[in-house]
Amino acid sequence: MDIPPLSEVRRLTEKKRDAWWTVLLVDPVATPLVRWTAKWTRVTPNQITWGALFLGLAAAACFARGDWEWLLIGAGLYHLSFILDCMDGKLARLTGKGSEFGGWLDYVFDRVRVLICAIALMGGQYSRTGEVAYVWLALVVVFLDALRYLDALQIFKVRHSMRKKISARAKASRRAARALMSAEELEQDREREQREREREQDRENDGDEEQGIAFMEDLLRENPTADLDDGPRQDGPDAGAEGDAQARPREKKVIDLHVEFKSRFPWYGRFRTFLLRHRVRTHLVSGIEFQMAVFIVGPILGTIMPVTIAAGALLMGFELAIIYKLLLSTRDFERTLASYPVPEAAEVPEAAPETAPEAVSGTAAGIPAQPGGPAGEGLPSRDGAAAGH
């Protein structure tokens, strides 16, 4: 396949927002290597994933020796392992050879590498110094790494659930609004809907276009500064009357579930903008930075215990901040859900009064026709008149 120039490879493979360690110390090396690998070799992303695991195991073997010289070699091997760990995803995006199994393999191998390296690093220090604190420190490293990724998974599930519930409520509200339209208004609405579907048929919208809404999270993935752009939009659940939204059913309403967080921390937008100029995400101490501090910075400086404790404290601080942000987001979710009127159940029409017995023939009243009588006697005809009258 034709491999594009390096600038295009960067655009295709590098994330718009990433960990600062990856942006500053990994991407400048990994992206050119990915282009060279795709152009001159037949290496697959899964093979690179295996290579990252083997380098991680080699780093663990060095950590287990305990001496500072071996710690330096282990730190270098761990960094090379992480570079390969970033290359497999980039190569998959560039060549289109990614797979679901490859994503699973990458995730599992990452956890295995952290587990083995933590045991080897702290075990080596315990055998060298005899301090039991290193044994507990190994458990803390494994626990914090697992907590970080489990927390990220659960937060994703909660946010996905909130989006689905808002979409369902918006869809029900839209149906209720369309039920009140006249035939002419309904036809015009269908024409507008068809035109918008044709314009956006190539975009993945998770079904939300049907409800006339868009989520700020989706807009930020395409444009990291979308919430900073000028122009008319609805920032939160209280912006705009719902009746006005029903009067213009195809005008998108932007749902932002971080309104309360932004109102409490107005400086956050400027801080995020500064970081985005350098492709750095605001989660400054995530699982990546924690690993690099434990397995690279600590061994190089020869201060494994204090660096690990400090990195763990910073990781927990940022995790608590994310949980607090989720709490505020759930409040925005409740207000957004309440801004859509709950469609009232359709009224059941009252039963028609019973017809007098003498006005109804035996068969129409539920009494079977006599065996000797005409088959159609007493039954209503197609035009509504009683047969035989």
Side-chain angles (χ1 to χ4, degrees), residues 140-161:
V140 170
V141 171
V142 175
F143 170 76
L144 290 178
D145 180 76
L147 176 65
R148 165 68 193 120
Y149 286 94
L150 287 176
D151 186 38
L153 178 61
Q154 291 303 314
I155 288 178
F156 171 80
K157 289 182 178 179
V158 171
R159 293 195 182 282
H160 184 71
S161 175

Side-chain angles (χ1 to χ4, degrees), residues 234-245:
Q234 293 171 314
D235 284 2
D238 301 328
E242 192 62 34
D244 184 58

Side-chain angles (χ1 to χ4, degrees), residues 2 25 27 41 50 69-70 84 99 109 115 130 148 155 161 172 198 223-225 230 235-236 247 254-255 293 360 376:
D2 294 333
L25 301 176
D27 281 349
T41 71
W50 279 99
E69 294 79 6
W70 286 105
L84 290 184
S99 64
F109 282 2
L115 173 63
R148 165 68 193 120
I155 288 178
S161 175
E198 292 175 356
N223 177 17
T225 60
D230 296 330
D235 284 2
V254 177
I255 303 297
V360 182

Side-chain angles (χ1 to χ4, degrees), residues 355-361 389:
T355 311
E358 60 272 11
V360 182
S361 63
H389 282 194

Side-chain angles (χ1 to χ4, degrees), residues 18 34 50 60 66 108 122 129 135 158 197 232 264 305 339 370 387:
D18 211 338
V34 165
W50 279 99
V108 172
M122 303 307 170
T129 63
V135 177
V158 171
R197 283 180 178 176
R264 293 195 179 197
M305 185 175 293
S339 68
Q370 299 300 319

Side-chain angles (χ1 to χ4, degrees), residues 158-173:
V158 171
R159 293 195 182 282
H160 184 71
S161 175
M162 291 192 296
R163 288 166 56 103
K164 288 297 182 183
K165 290 179 181 179
I166 291 175
S167 299
R169 179 66 65 85
K171 185 176 182 179
S173 178

